[in-house]
Amino acid sequence: MEIIRPNFGENGNFFKENFLAWNLLYVYPQSLNFANRQGSARNITVKVQFMYGEDPSNAMPVIFGKSSCPEFSKEAYTAVVYHNRSPDFHEEIKIKLPATLTDHHHLLFTFYHVSCQQKQNTPLETPVGYTVPLPGMKWVDNHKGVFNVEVVAVSSLHTQDPYLDKFFALVHALDEHMFPVRIGDMRIMENNLENELKSSISALNSSQLEPVVRFLHLLLDKLILLVVRPPVIAGQIVNLGQASFEAMASIINRLHKNLDGNQDQHGRNSLLASYIYYVFRLPNTYPNSPSPGPGGLGGSVHYATMARSAVRPASLNLNRSRSLSNSNPDISGTPTSPDDEVRSIIGTKLFHEELALQWVVCSGSVREAALQQAWFFFELMVKSMVHHLYFADKLDAPRKNRFPERFMDDVTALVSTISGDIVSRFQKDTEMVERLNTSLAFFLNDLLSIMDRGFVFSLIKTCCKQVSSKLYSLTNPSNLASLKLDFLRIICSHEHYVTLNLPCSLLTPPASPSPSVSSATSQSSGFSTNVQDQKIANMFELSVPFRQQHYLAGLVLTELAVILDPDAEGLFGLHKKVINMVHNLLSSHDSDPRYADPQSGRQHSTFSTESSRSLLICLLWVLKNADESVLQKWFTDLSVLQLNRLLDLLYLCVSCFEYKGKKVFERMNSLTFKKSKDMRAKLEEAILGSIGARQEMVRRSRGQLEINFIAFFPLIRSRAEIEHEALIDGNLATEANLIILDTLEIVVQTVSVTESKESILGGVLKVLLHSMACNQSALYLQHCFATQRALVSKFPELLFEEETEQCADLCLRLLRHCSSSISTIRSHASASLYLLMRQNFEIGNNFARVKMQVTMSLSSLVGTSQNFNEEFLRRSLKTILTYAEEDLELRETTFPDQVQDLVFNLHMILSDTVKMKEHQEDPEMLIDLMYRIAKGYQNSPDLRLTWLQNMAGKHSERSNHAESAQCLVHSAALVAEYLSMLEDRKYLPVGCVTFQAGMYEAVNEVYKVLIPIHEANRDAKKLSTIHGKLQEAFSKIVHQDGKRMFGTYFRVGFYGTKFGDLDEQEFVYKEPAITKLAEISHRLEGFYGERFGEDVLEVIKDSNPVDKCKLDPNKAYIQITYVEPYFDTYEMKDRITYFDKNYNLRRFMYCTPFTLDGRAHGDLHEQFKRKTILTTSHAFPYIKTRINVIHKEEIILTPIEVAIEDMQKKTQELAFATHQDPADPKMLQMVLQGSVGTTVNQGPLEVAQVFLSEIPNDPKLFRHHNKLRLCFKDFTKRCEDALRKNKSLIGPDQKEYQRELERNYHRLKEALQPLINRKIPQLYKAVLPVTCHRDSFSRMSLRKMEI
């Protein structure tokens, strides 16, 4: 008989621990072969019985019955297979096994032949075979297997694994003191039990995984019990702690590796986590159990932890049980009575102590396995410690007395070695070290609740010290620093973090929302000692006393300071992480009901996780919740530098919490939606990409796809959610800015009586003005204006004498709010502006400064603001005028008249804005208008400067950086000119001529003007900055050589009365680099087509001179031509670099081909060319991007001159391609093909044949003929050089191509030879004395005419 035992452990679905008791056997008869049996055996059935003896009456009623049958029966039959001597069976027979199995229990299979037609005196069923040999029976097929059956045991009582069976059997024998132990055919005597037990523990790692999982809890219980209660075998205590620990480490590590999908979010195996949480208890703490362990193990007399009894003789060597070591009982002390020795063992053999000791002393693969799953041993140790405190009634004991010193020493050694592993292995075993670091941090977090906190702080200090020492020696410390941040984050997540940071023991911790082991017994903590009160200022410095008194907070803030240090190398990527750590600490503290003010009813909103916002929220939270007197004391003790740094932080807070507006959220949502639609389309395309049934199925289930995509893209928010988010953002912005405003007022109150108030008040005003410039709520602005008026009223000299630039800024902010659409804001802004004028007038009987600043501010506002409302501003100006007229105190002074003059000037400036709005969409016309307005303010330099700055801003918006720089340099030149008028200093530039600007090379020229000024002022800092910028500029020139591209230029002519002043005007437009003719044509055609109508505008496609008489007077015409910078020959000597050829450009050229009969193109001998040279009124780059053409001249080239130009161009191309470095083979071959290729139309050969075949009759053409001949000589020489260069560059695959080029070249050279060797005799006659003046410009080819 063949029995098949399937291995169910191959499938991970069977890896489940036993929670219920079952003991079943499934029997599956499969096949029978009676082909060789003699006799009638065709209709065969099999009877199955479970026997407890040999007698037929010993069949047990344990076979589960089928439906409509008794629950249990003694036998089961298979179905009859008709007339088949070798039948197959398909039945399942389920048997309930007895709990205790003996050698007498067995399965009995009986085979019957069933008669289909019952004969007289013949039984219906005839036995034809048995699986058990009976007397007088013989084998069916000579001992060959004829019956196949499959047997499957499903049991929570039997492991079905030989290694586990042996281990449990030996442990059970120890418990029951049953010797010898029989395991299968092996008998183990008591004197050999120790070796067999140790070998069985070592062999546990060889057991199958499936039974290990099912019996995991029992297995771990037995191993832990062997650690805690070493057995006594043959009168000797057997120490199995080390072997049991090694087995536990191996089994746990194996479970993690093979069941990696069975882990929680922290990477912990759920089987092991459930064991710790639900199953594990200290062996001597089970209720209602006299024994110290499960199953009675350790409850008998055969363990050294129990007293003597009659079962075991008193002569056992119990004096060995008293030891100085938990793991080595051979290190003995002075023997006492056996009972005392037993009590000593009971008191010292605690699992957490043994576990710590075994972990410290282990090494090799065992230690590695323990490190891999450190979380399990740490959590097991913590639970053992907590159970020990609870059952030993030590929860109320002082923390220092809870655990013995030797255990604390073991914990210290363990933490130290694991910290060393983290430091030494973080670069090699990244994933393992991350888990180990997290596990250690959670372990120390747990110890803070149950051990002396001074001791735990010393452990934390040990870890941090080892990490810090390693950090100093690393060039890239970010990975290790990140581990340290994770370590601190976990430790600081303790529920009593605030109490742990309190320096005084008199402050007891509040009640815990989720009480752990009592934390109120921490009075004996090492950090709970009375300390002398420190000054309040010391609380705000990261000093050594602060870090000692607030240990955990000091560690966190130290890391924050180190990582945010600008000089810290390699830590930039950790900014967000460390800021979020601080932010999360404060957020959890803020939402903790134990520290909430029951009367405040504060609401807690979810803040953004963005790093800068998180850190600044932390600052604002402290400023809001700190007592005002504490802040005043702090501000008083801060230095001027520190106070200014605080004001800088408040400035950043204003920017960070500016209200974005609902439109921003809607735009972000639309972008998210667009991105999700793109992702959805790609996903659908990937799914629907296949052909056939799958495609149809997906198409039919589109409704289901819609549901799935909603789950995939939850970021798409509804309108209500967007409005809610915008509301929260607005409330947050208002709250943050009100906190800032309150802080500023406290700063002003604090420093107003100090000597250094001027420098501080300037910073306060800067923050205040910045908040007025940002988007703010009406509520905040009302308070802000009130604070501003109080500040100006109390310290008027601050604005009018010291911070003059901020006076201008204040005027600009007030004017902007005077144009607000909200009447309340306009009223406050008008009042603030009027009081500003009034206070300035009271100082010196005029308010010239404010008048000038307001005028400049309005000019700047109308030139730059897009949302400027002219009508609302006029209403505010009328309000200010009314204030002046009704001011009784100043009615008799000149103040009302001065206000009226100012308002009149402001109305004039507003009128200019109307014209600007008309040309808002035409950038060139807008710049021209601003240019005219600036020139109109020649008598008002301040306003002229303002409009130049407005022009610079407009240019910057369009990325015209060179023109923007020109505007700023013109402004600087204007200031220089006025300074030279006021005082004559030799180091000051005289007038505007000294200034030039543009691009990197021009930086040097600008600084040549500035350097003498700073040298005269002995300003080393600014000189250092200047030379640094010069070095940067020159480095960019070197590195970007050949990579820079400047502007592209076009001639644009306007024709038609519809253009008004632009009619018959020609301009040169400067466009960004690589702008195509079609691009500017499309832009101008689109703009003017929209303005005049597409049917009215017409673009002239050619570049020929325009005859206005032939144009339709009812239409508007634009002619656009690409032009290039033009230089005379003598200019090229100075314009060497690419920058030289693209800077200070006033002359431009474009060419127009024509023939005498009116065609644009003709044969070589009739092809003329017109060169048109344009001169502009100013040089590019200028403060405008289009400049008028003031002069135009034309040069007509004859056909032979056109040919000379073409050949010179080809020769230059050849020379450039030949000497290019690095060489470009493709470019070289392309130029060569165009020069010597046989298929080139109007190529060099044709040019030579047309113009060099005959000597011209006209003597004026002799020199042109000779010049062309020399051009061809140079051309053939360049072709030869290019061929030689190409030969050195090509590979073997292009050799044939090279030979073809050389053949073409030789054919070309032979054809050209007679043509280029023919000289004109008249040019080589003897030189005669010159008898007349020679006019080289009287040639027919150089006819010039000015237009």
Side-chain angles (χ1 to χ4, degrees):
M1 179 176 67
E2 181 182 353
I3 299 177
I4 303 173
R5 297 180 182 271
N7 181 10
F8 278 75
E10 297 297 326
N11 191 336
N13 293 329
F14 290 86
F15 291 168
K16 295 182 180 179
E17 64 272 37
N18 295 326
F19 291 119
L20 299 174
W22 62 83
N23 196 23
L24 304 174
L25 183 70
Y26 291 87
V27 180
Y28 301 93
Q30 293 194 340
S31 63
L32 179 68
N33 184 5
F34 272 7
N36 296 330
R37 183 187 182 279
Q38 298 177 358
S40 175
R42 295 184 297 172
N43 305 331
I44 300 173
T45 185
V46 180
K47 181 172 72 172
V48 182
Q49 294 172 296
F50 187 81
M51 313 292 290
Y52 68 92
E54 301 296 336
D55 192 87
S57 63
N58 294 140
M60 299 180 67
V62 293
I63 300 177
F64 285 84
K66 297 182 180 179
S67 60
S68 303
C69 295
E71 184 178 2
F72 292 99
S73 63
K74 294 184 177 182
E75 57 194 29
Y77 289 89
T78 64
V80 177
V81 183
Y82 182 66
H83 278 214
N84 191 342
R85 298 175 69 88
S86 301
D88 293 329
F89 307 103
H90 304 283
E91 278 77 17
E92 177 187 76
I93 298 162
K94 182 179 178 182
I95 301 173
K96 181 179 180 183
L97 293 176
T100 303
L101 291 175
T102 66
D103 293 341
H104 300 292
H105 290 94
H106 65 277
L107 283 172
L108 175 62
F109 297 91
T110 307
F111 305 96
Y112 291 94
H113 168 74
V114 180
S115 299
C116 296
Q117 295 179 353
Q118 186 174 9
K119 297 178 181 180
Q120 196 172 16
N121 301 324
T122 303
L124 187 65
E125 300 172 351
T126 305
V128 294
Y130 301 90
T131 55
V132 178
L134 298 177
M137 302 291 291
K138 63 179 180 179
W139 295 98
V140 172
D141 195 7
N142 195 20
H143 290 79
K144 292 183 180 179
V146 295
F147 178 50
N148 292 333
V149 63
E150 179 181 338
V151 179
V152 177
V154 179
S155 174
S156 62
L157 305 181
H158 301 281
T159 65
Q160 304 176 68
D161 183 271
Y163 303 103
L164 291 177
D165 282 343
K166 181 178 180 182
F167 173 73
F168 286 133
L170 292 175
V171 173
H172 178 69
L174 281 173
D175 187 39
E176 298 296 331
H177 195 54
M178 296 173 56
F179 299 109
V181 183
R182 182 178 176 184
I183 302 174
D185 297 331
M186 182 171 61
R187 290 165 58 87
I188 302 174
M189 305 304 293
E190 184 177 7
N191 57 2
N192 198 32
L193 184 61
E194 178 180 347
N195 293 332
E196 291 294 337
L197 184 59
K198 288 183 177 179
S199 65
S200 70
I201 294 174
S202 301
L204 287 175
N205 196 39
S206 302
S207 57
Q208 295 183 8
L209 189 61
E210 187 258 342
V212 168
V213 171
R214 288 194 289 111
F215 292 88
L216 178 65
H217 295 170
L218 181 61
L219 179 60
L220 292 177
D221 276 344
K222 298 298 183 184
L223 288 173
I224 290 173
L225 198 56
L226 289 175
V227 172
V228 177
R229 301 288 181 256
V232 175
I233 302 175
Q236 298 291 328
I237 297 176
V238 179
N239 188 351
L240 299 174
Q242 183 177 356
S244 300
F245 178 78
E246 292 177 1
M248 287 174 61
S250 177
I251 291 169
I252 290 163
N253 203 33
R254 185 180 171 200
L255 284 176
H256 263 273
K257 288 181 179 179
N258 291 279
L259 302 180
D260 53 352
N262 194 17
Q263 297 177 1
D264 63 10
Q265 59 181 345
H266 302 293
R268 305 181 308 169
N269 185 281
S270 58
L271 300 178
L272 298 173
S274 64
Y275 171 76
I276 296 173
Y277 193 80
Y278 296 107
V279 180
F280 171 74
R281 295 170 70 92
L282 285 182
N284 58 345
T285 60
Y286 281 82
N288 303 323
S289 174
S291 66
L297 180 62
S300 77
V301 296
H302 308 291
Y303 289 87
T305 57
M306 301 303 292
R308 296 164 303 170
S309 70
V311 180
R312 195 174 107 230
S315 60
L316 289 178
N317 190 7
L318 276 178
N319 59 1
R320 284 183 167 273
S321 63
R322 176 170 178 80
S323 63
L324 299 178
S325 169
N326 288 346
S327 61
N328 189 356
D330 293 331
I331 306 176
S332 302
T334 305
T336 58
S337 69
D339 289 336
D340 292 338
E341 293 169 2
V342 170
R343 281 194 293 272
S344 173
I345 294 174
I346 293 175
T348 57
K349 287 288 185 177
L350 295 171
F351 178 65
H352 50 271
E353 297 179 2
E354 286 296 308
L355 179 58
L357 180 62
Q358 293 297 338
W359 198 350
V360 169
V361 301
C362 70
S363 61
S365 60
V366 178
R367 184 172 184 275
E368 184 64 24
L371 289 178
Q372 290 285 350
Q373 314 306 332
W375 70 270
F376 176 79
F377 294 106
F378 278 139
E379 293 191 16
L380 207 58
M381 190 184 304
V382 169
K383 187 168 183 181
S384 173
M385 295 167 70
V386 173
H387 275 210
H388 165 65
L389 293 178
Y390 176 74
F391 290 107
D393 199 21
K394 287 188 176 182
L395 288 176
D396 295 329
R399 289 182 177 239
K400 286 189 176 181
N401 301 333
R402 289 180 177 180
F403 300 99
E405 288 187 8
R406 62 176 178 274
F407 172 64
M408 297 173 71
D409 291 341
D410 289 341
V411 171
T412 302
L414 179 63
V415 171
S416 179
T417 55
I418 290 180
S419 300
D421 286 322
I422 293 173
V423 169
S424 62
R425 300 173 60 177
F426 77 97
Q427 292 174 319
K428 297 179 292 184
D429 305 318
T430 305
E431 185 177 350
M432 189 276 285
V433 168
E434 286 179 357
R435 294 199 310 270
L436 186 60
N437 181 67
T438 303
S439 303
L440 179 61
F442 277 116
F443 175 63
L444 295 176
N445 182 297
D446 292 335
L447 292 188
L448 286 170
S449 298
I450 56 178
M451 295 188 78
D452 173 48
R453 291 174 182 176
F455 169 71
V456 182
F457 282 167
S458 69
L459 298 180
I460 297 172
K461 181 180 179 181
T462 299
C463 299
C464 293
K465 188 175 182 181
Q466 290 193 43
V467 173
S468 299
S469 300
K470 183 69 174 179
L471 282 173
Y472 289 127
S473 62
L474 294 175
T475 55
N476 183 16
S478 60
N479 292 338
L480 188 56
S482 177
L483 291 174
K484 188 176 182 182
L485 289 181
D486 290 333
F487 178 82
L488 291 177
R489 174 179 56 80
I490 294 170
I491 288 178
C492 294
S493 64
H494 194 276
E495 61 174 343
H496 296 313
Y497 167 78
V498 175
T499 308
L500 290 171
N501 279 288
L502 294 178
C504 182
S505 62
L506 297 178
L507 299 173
T508 58
S512 170
S514 55
S516 63
V517 178
S518 177
S519 298
T521 58
S522 60
Q523 282 78 6
S524 56
S525 169
F527 276 77
S528 300
T529 57
N530 289 318
V531 294
Q532 188 178 4
D533 290 340
Q534 300 289 330
K535 292 177 65 178
I536 293 179
N538 289 340
M539 296 172 58
F540 300 93
E541 293 181 0
L542 198 58
S543 58
V544 173
F546 176 89
R547 285 182 290 180
Q548 291 175 344
Q549 295 177 20
H550 314 282
Y551 184 63
L552 294 180
L555 287 176
V556 172
L557 295 178
T558 300
E559 290 303 306
L560 180 71
V562 169
I563 293 176
L564 295 186
D565 187 353
D567 297 329
E569 296 182 1
L571 299 178
F572 178 78
L574 298 177
H575 286 184
K576 183 176 181 180
K577 190 168 188 175
V578 69
I579 289 171
N580 281 345
M581 182 171 70
V582 178
H583 169 259
N584 292 338
L585 274 175
L586 291 179
S587 295
S588 61
H589 177 63
D590 198 42
S591 58
D592 193 331
R594 296 174 296 174
Y595 305 104
D597 183 357
Q599 298 179 353
S600 65
R602 287 177 297 163
Q603 295 181 350
H604 307 285
S605 59
T606 302
F607 295 116
S608 168
T609 56
E610 185 180 1
S611 298
S612 57
R613 288 171 65 88
S614 300
L615 188 59
L616 294 174
I617 280 177
C618 298
L619 170 68
L620 294 178
W621 184 88
V622 172
L623 292 174
K624 177 184 178 181
N625 292 282
D627 187 78
E628 184 176 336
S629 61
V630 173
L631 290 179
Q632 286 182 344
K633 178 63 176 173
W634 178 35
F635 295 157
T636 302
D637 292 339
L638 287 180
S639 65
V640 174
L641 178 62
Q642 290 172 320
L643 258 179
N644 279 317
R645 285 180 177 174
L646 175 64
L647 293 174
D648 290 339
L649 277 177
L650 296 178
Y651 186 94
L652 290 176
C653 289
V654 172
S655 300
C656 191
F657 299 106
E658 181 180 6
Y659 178 59
K660 301 181 184 68
K662 194 185 302 180
K663 291 183 179 179
V664 174
F665 290 101
E666 290 176 349
R667 185 163 60 250
M668 291 168 58
N669 194 49
S670 64
L671 291 174
T672 304
F673 179 69
K674 183 178 184 300
K675 183 177 180 181
S676 65
K677 284 184 67 178
D678 293 342
M679 292 173 64
R680 171 179 172 170
K682 290 178 181 178
L683 186 56
E684 283 190 352
E685 182 180 353
I687 295 173
L688 300 176
S690 57
I691 302 173
R694 182 183 298 176
Q695 185 175 1
E696 290 300 319
M697 179 192 71
V698 176
R699 283 178 176 164
R700 286 194 212 103
S701 62
R702 277 188 181 275
Q704 185 177 357
L705 276 176
E706 294 291 337
I707 298 172
N708 291 338
F709 276 114
I710 292 173
F712 275 133
F713 306 113
L715 297 176
I716 304 170
R717 295 163 294 181
S718 65
R719 188 169 189 84
E721 289 174 329
I722 294 174
E723 290 181 355
H724 181 67
E725 189 169 355
L727 178 64
I728 290 178
D729 187 66
N731 290 337
L732 175 61
T734 302
E735 177 71 13
N737 281 279
L738 287 174
I739 294 172
I740 295 168
L741 197 61
D742 291 342
T743 307
L744 292 177
E745 291 183 352
I746 295 175
V747 171
V748 172
Q749 294 172 14
T750 304
V751 304
S752 58
V753 295
T754 62
E755 297 178 356
S756 58
K757 65 180 179 181
E758 289 79 8
S759 58
I760 304 299
L761 292 176
V764 171
L765 188 59
K766 179 181 175 183
V767 177
L768 198 64
L769 294 178
H770 181 53
S771 70
M772 294 170 67
C774 297
N775 296 325
Q776 300 288 3
S777 65
L779 174 65
Y780 170 75
L781 286 174
Q782 294 178 45
H783 293 283
C784 181
F785 284 131
T787 301
Q788 171 263 317
R789 289 194 292 268
L791 186 65
V792 174
S793 175
K794 193 172 183 180
F795 307 103
E797 68 281 355
L798 177 69
L799 276 178
F800 307 129
E801 296 178 10
E802 296 165 7
E803 303 291 341
T804 55
E805 291 183 2
Q806 293 193 6
C807 179
D809 197 14
L810 177 59
C811 293
L812 178 63
R813 305 302 168 213
L814 293 177
L815 275 175
R816 187 170 76 88
H817 289 295
C818 282
S819 65
S820 171
S821 59
I822 302 175
S823 59
T824 308
I825 296 177
R826 288 202 307 273
S827 300
H828 278 274
S830 301
S832 291
L833 186 57
Y834 174 75
L835 291 176
L836 191 66
M837 299 177 189
R838 196 178 190 278
Q839 284 160 340
N840 191 207
F841 179 82
E842 289 176 344
I843 291 177
N845 287 330
N846 67 74
F847 60 101
R849 177 174 295 281
V850 173
K851 185 188 296 185
M852 178 188 68
Q853 300 289 7
V854 168
T855 308
M856 291 179 61
S857 298
L858 182 59
S859 299
S860 175
L861 191 64
V862 300
T864 57
S865 179
Q866 299 291 331
N867 302 322
F868 175 73
N869 191 299
E870 178 190 349
E871 179 59 30
F872 289 138
L873 182 56
R874 291 187 186 274
R875 293 184 190 178
S876 297
L877 292 179
K878 186 176 181 181
T879 302
I880 292 173
L881 200 56
T882 304
Y883 282 151
E885 292 172 352
E886 296 179 357
D887 194 336
L888 299 178
E889 291 184 11
L890 300 178
R891 181 175 291 179
E892 304 301 326
T893 65
T894 59
F895 180 68
D897 296 332
Q898 292 184 36
V899 173
Q900 189 171 4
D901 291 342
L902 172 62
V903 172
F904 177 78
N905 290 336
L906 298 181
H907 279 295
M908 290 296 296
I909 295 174
L910 288 175
S911 300
D912 289 335
T913 63
V914 178
K915 296 180 182 178
M916 292 180 59
K917 287 181 179 180
E918 293 178 2
H919 301 284
Q920 198 66 37
E921 302 300 324
D922 186 356
E924 285 82 13
M925 196 67 194
L926 181 63
I927 292 294
D928 283 349
L929 181 60
M930 296 175 76
Y931 177 73
R932 286 203 294 271
I933 294 175
K935 290 195 72 174
Y937 288 124
Q938 286 186 352
N939 295 328
S940 178
D942 294 328
L943 288 177
R944 193 175 180 190
L945 285 175
T946 302
W947 280 96
L948 283 171
Q949 290 173 352
N950 291 344
M951 290 175 68
K954 288 292 181 185
H955 281 305
S956 295
E957 290 175 8
R958 300 189 61 218
S959 298
N960 297 328
H961 302 300
E963 287 70 24
S964 178
Q966 286 283 347
C967 292
L968 297 177
V969 171
H970 272 72
S971 302
L974 193 63
V975 173
E977 191 162 336
Y978 277 91
L979 286 177
S980 64
M981 293 178 184
L982 294 175
E983 51 181 332
D984 184 17
R985 297 287 176 88
K986 62 181 180 179
Y987 57 83
L988 285 175
V990 182
C992 303
V993 188
T994 315
F995 280 87
Q996 288 184 340
M999 297 156 277
Y1000 302 133
E1001 287 80 356
V1003 172
N1004 186 40
E1005 301 301 320
V1006 174
Y1007 283 139
K1008 282 181 182 177
V1009 180
L1010 297 179
I1011 287 174
I1013 300 175
H1014 294 312
E1015 286 177 345
N1017 293 330
R1018 308 296 193 271
D1019 195 336
K1021 185 176 181 180
K1022 289 185 177 179
L1023 285 172
S1024 172
T1025 303
I1026 286 175
H1027 287 292
K1029 290 184 178 294
L1030 282 173
Q1031 181 187 7
E1032 183 181 351
F1034 285 126
S1035 298
K1036 287 182 178 179
I1037 293 172
V1038 174
H1039 293 146
Q1040 298 182 16
D1041 185 31
K1043 300 177 183 177
R1044 287 192 291 171
M1045 301 189 73
F1046 297 125
T1048 309
Y1049 299 91
F1050 297 92
R1051 164 190 164 269
V1052 180
F1054 299 91
Y1055 305 96
T1057 55
K1058 290 190 175 293
F1059 285 110
D1061 296 340
L1062 293 180
D1063 186 20
E1064 295 191 64
Q1065 292 286 324
E1066 290 186 2
F1067 297 89
V1068 173
Y1069 277 60
K1070 182 190 174 191
E1071 294 292 311
I1074 327 178
T1075 301
K1076 304 293 184 184
L1077 179 62
E1079 294 179 47
I1080 183 175
S1081 179
H1082 177 74
R1083 179 170 72 86
L1084 295 179
E1085 189 175 357
F1087 173 73
Y1088 288 107
E1090 186 177 347
R1091 183 175 176 185
F1092 300 131
E1094 294 182 1
D1095 54 337
V1096 176
L1097 183 69
E1098 192 170 319
V1099 178
I1100 302 173
K1101 302 296 184 183
D1102 57 52
S1103 57
N1104 292 322
V1106 177
D1107 187 354
K1108 193 176 180 183
C1109 298
K1110 297 180 180 180
L1111 303 179
D1112 186 346
N1114 296 320
K1115 288 190 174 183
Y1117 296 88
I1118 299 177
Q1119 186 182 40
I1120 307 173
T1121 312
Y1122 170 74
V1123 296
E1124 293 179 333
Y1126 176 79
F1127 309 106
D1128 284 324
T1129 306
Y1130 71 89
E1131 287 185 274
M1132 294 301 292
K1133 296 178 181 177
D1134 297 326
R1135 294 184 181 265
I1136 301 170
T1137 65
Y1138 182 69
F1139 168 78
D1140 295 333
K1141 296 173 183 177
N1142 285 272
Y1143 183 72
N1144 200 21
L1145 308 177
R1146 285 195 63 189
R1147 301 175 74 195
F1148 301 87
M1149 179 194 72
Y1150 64 93
C1151 298
T1152 310
F1154 70 97
T1155 60
L1156 296 179
D1157 58 3
R1159 291 174 299 144
H1161 298 282
D1163 295 334
L1164 289 174
H1165 67 277
E1166 57 184 4
Q1167 183 66 63
F1168 288 79
K1169 185 190 290 186
R1170 179 187 300 108
K1171 286 185 175 181
T1172 306
I1173 301 172
L1174 309 175
T1175 306
T1176 57
S1177 59
H1178 296 90
F1180 284 100
Y1182 187 50
I1183 60 175
K1184 300 192 296 180
T1185 54
R1186 74 172 183 186
I1187 305 178
N1188 297 67
V1189 175
I1190 60 172
H1191 187 263
K1192 181 163 65 173
E1193 60 179 319
E1194 293 180 351
I1195 300 176
I1196 307 298
L1197 298 185
T1198 61
I1200 192 171
E1201 289 177 306
V1202 174
I1204 291 171
E1205 269 199 356
D1206 290 344
M1207 291 309 301
Q1208 287 176 336
K1209 185 178 179 181
K1210 282 183 179 294
T1211 306
Q1212 289 173 358
E1213 289 176 354
L1214 276 168
F1216 177 78
T1218 304
H1219 298 100
Q1220 192 173 358
D1221 186 21
D1224 187 349
K1226 290 185 179 180
M1227 174 67 71
L1228 181 59
Q1229 291 170 12
M1230 185 174 68
V1231 176
L1232 264 174
Q1233 184 67 33
S1235 299
V1236 303
T1238 56
T1239 59
V1240 179
N1241 296 323
Q1242 290 192 348
L1245 182 58
E1246 187 179 352
V1247 173
Q1249 290 171 345
V1250 170
F1251 294 106
L1252 298 181
S1253 58
E1254 296 180 0
I1255 295 176
N1257 297 324
D1258 188 355
K1260 294 180 180 179
L1261 298 178
F1262 285 171
R1263 292 191 177 276
H1264 293 321
H1265 183 281
N1266 192 55
K1267 189 173 183 179
L1268 183 59
R1269 185 178 66 83
L1270 295 175
C1271 284
F1272 271 101
K1273 274 195 170 186
D1274 192 20
F1275 173 72
T1276 55
K1277 177 66 173 63
R1278 294 295 183 186
C1279 286
E1280 185 177 351
D1281 295 342
L1283 281 169
R1284 191 180 302 111
K1285 179 74 172 180
N1286 188 59
K1287 187 174 183 179
S1288 66
L1289 297 175
I1290 63 173
D1293 57 324
Q1294 289 188 313
K1295 287 186 177 180
E1296 182 58 35
Y1297 175 68
Q1298 172 71 13
R1299 284 193 288 269
E1300 180 65 24
L1301 287 176
E1302 290 176 353
R1303 283 195 294 270
N1304 291 340
Y1305 166 69
H1306 289 304
R1307 282 197 290 267
L1308 175 66
K1309 187 176 180 181
E1310 289 175 4
L1312 290 176
Q1313 200 67 30
L1315 299 175
I1316 63 179
N1317 288 334
R1318 181 181 297 145
K1319 299 180 180 179
I1320 302 176
Q1322 290 86 336
L1323 290 177
Y1324 295 92
K1325 292 181 179 179
V1327 179
L1328 299 175
V1330 178
T1331 56
C1332 63
H1333 178 69
R1334 176 183 168 192
D1335 185 4
S1336 61
F1337 292 96
S1338 62
R1339 297 174 295 163
M1340 179 183 66
S1341 61
L1342 290 174
R1343 298 189 297 272
K1344 294 187 180 181
M1345 30 184 196
E1346 294 190 4
I1347 299 175

